[in-house]
């Protein structure tokens, strides 16, 4: 296992190691990188960490996905940009799962009927956003922040808001979420209904379990959706549809 570098995120250590291997010729331009599972075993890290590292290398212009084939080296030197892409979506969602699980448990003991009604209204907005494919997941954010506010603890509200804002401030996280949306990932309405139902029972353990389940599912969906080959397939399908539409309208 590669020893961690102090002050750096784990995905950055992996991306740096692979970029060095590309620069020193271990991996040549045009060469296929080892499969994700092999890299995870080599560096003794999780698949999400390797996924974040691969996406970071893709953003830097060092690798690309080829449909049905794998990840290939494109250049030996990165584009002119910092390799510090900040927090990835997996790391951020894991933090949310830990923190918001306890926040919703506390909220279950303090939430009012009026706040439950507000959450129901936000859920309706979430359904509308999904149907209209609105980017930004604003109703999703409002739902989780409203739960934080129901705790009557301003520090909890600040932390939840900060974690949500990092989704948009972190280049790596923003890129990963865009990839997920490209292959159809949307806010999970049924999961939010379960969270709301648990809050209505005022049961902290049930509320915590519902939140843990929800954000665990988010992590799994991100893992599937950010598979670079899956994104390439989605892009190819969109390009094919556009080509077919152009051909038909030209008749």
């Amino acid at each position: 296992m590669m020893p961690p570098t102090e002050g750096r995120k784990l995905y950055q250590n992996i991306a740096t190691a692979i970029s060095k291997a590309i620069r020193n010729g271990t991996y040549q331009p045009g060469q296929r990188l080892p499969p994700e599972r092999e890299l995870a075993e080599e560096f003794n890290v999780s698949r999400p960490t390797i996924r974040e590292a691969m996406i970071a290398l893709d953003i830097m212009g060092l690798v690309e996905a080829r449909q049905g084939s794998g990840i290939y080296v494109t250049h030996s030197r990165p584009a002119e940009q910092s390799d510090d892409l900040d927090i990835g979506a997996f790391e951020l969602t894991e933090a949310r799962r830990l923190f918001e699980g306890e926040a919703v448990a506390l909220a279950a003991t303090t939430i009012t009927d009026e706040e439950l009604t507000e959450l129901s209204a936000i859920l309706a907005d979430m359904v509308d956003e999904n149907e209209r494919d609105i980017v930004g997941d604003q109703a999703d954010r409002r739902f989780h922040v409203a739960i934080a506010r129901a705790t009557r603890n301003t520090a909890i509200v600040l932390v939840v808001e900060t974690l949500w804002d990092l989704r948009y401030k972190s280049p790596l996280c923003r890129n990963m979420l865009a990839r997920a949306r490209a292959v159809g990932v949307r806010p999970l309405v049924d999961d939010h209904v379960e969270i709301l139902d648990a809050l209505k029972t005022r049961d902290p353990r049930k509320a915590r379990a519902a939140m843990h389940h929800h954000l665990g599912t988010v992590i799994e969906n991100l893992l599937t959706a950010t598979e670079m080959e899956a994104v390439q397939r989605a892009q190819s399908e969109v390009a094919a549809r556009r080509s077919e539409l152009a051909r038909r309208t030209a008749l």
Side-chain angles (χ1 to χ4, degrees), residues 219-235:
I219 291 172
E220 287 301 315
N221 286 350
L222 277 170
L223 185 60
T224 301
T226 57
E227 180 185 359
M228 293 173 72
E229 289 182 70
V231 175
Q232 290 293 316
R233 285 194 295 272
Q235 291 172 339

Side-chain angles (χ1 to χ4, degrees), residues 89 135 137 167 171-186 222 225-226 231 235:
V135 177
D137 303 335
R167 288 163 56 97
L172 178 60
C173 187
R174 190 168 61 244
N175 184 283
M176 293 174 72
L177 292 170
R179 290 168 187 259
R181 180 166 285 275
V183 295
V185 174
R186 301 291 183 272
L222 277 170
T226 57
V231 175
Q235 291 172 339

Side-chain angles (χ1 to χ4, degrees), residues 37-77:
R37 189 176 300 278
E38 289 184 17
L39 289 172
E41 292 176 356
E42 176 184 347
F43 291 106
N44 194 23
V45 296
S46 66
R47 286 175 59 206
T49 298
I50 294 296
R51 187 68 50 80
E52 288 178 337
M54 289 297 104
I55 292 174
L57 292 169
D58 182 38
I59 294 172
M60 289 187 283
L62 285 174
V63 303
E64 67 177 3
R66 296 182 186 174
Q67 184 175 341
S69 183
I71 309 300
Y72 286 78
V73 177
T74 54
H75 298 288
S76 59
R77 295 196 176 278

Side-chain angles (χ1 to χ4, degrees), residues 103-104 106-123 142-153 157 192 195-197 199-200 202:
V104 76
L106 178 58
T109 68
T110 58
I111 197 164
T112 66
D113 289 341
E114 291 77 12
E115 287 166 332
L116 290 170
T117 299
E118 178 190 5
L119 287 172
S120 295
I122 295 172
L123 265 177
R142 285 165 49 213
F143 185 90
H144 288 268
V145 172
I147 290 173
R149 288 182 178 142
T151 67
R152 311 287 183 268
N153 186 311
V157 175
H192 290 84
I195 293 169
L196 179 56
D197 287 345
L199 286 169
K200 288 177 179 177
R202 268 76 175 189

Side-chain angles (χ1 to χ4, degrees), residues 186-222:
R186 301 291 183 272
L188 304 167
V189 173
D190 289 347
D191 281 9
H192 290 84
V193 170
E194 290 184 7
I195 293 169
L196 179 56
D197 287 345
L199 286 169
K200 288 177 179 177
T201 67
R202 268 76 175 189
D203 184 335
R205 286 189 288 186
K206 185 176 178 181
R208 182 188 294 112
M211 184 66 77
H212 283 175
H213 170 78
H214 164 53
L215 291 172
T217 301
V218 169
I219 291 172
E220 287 301 315
N221 286 350
L222 277 170

Side-chain angles (χ1 to χ4, degrees), residues 120-130 132 134 139-140 142:
S120 295
I122 295 172
L123 265 177
D125 291 341
M126 193 183 302
V127 172
D128 181 63
E129 285 186 1
N130 278 358
R132 293 193 289 143
I134 295 176
D140 196 0
R142 285 165 49 213

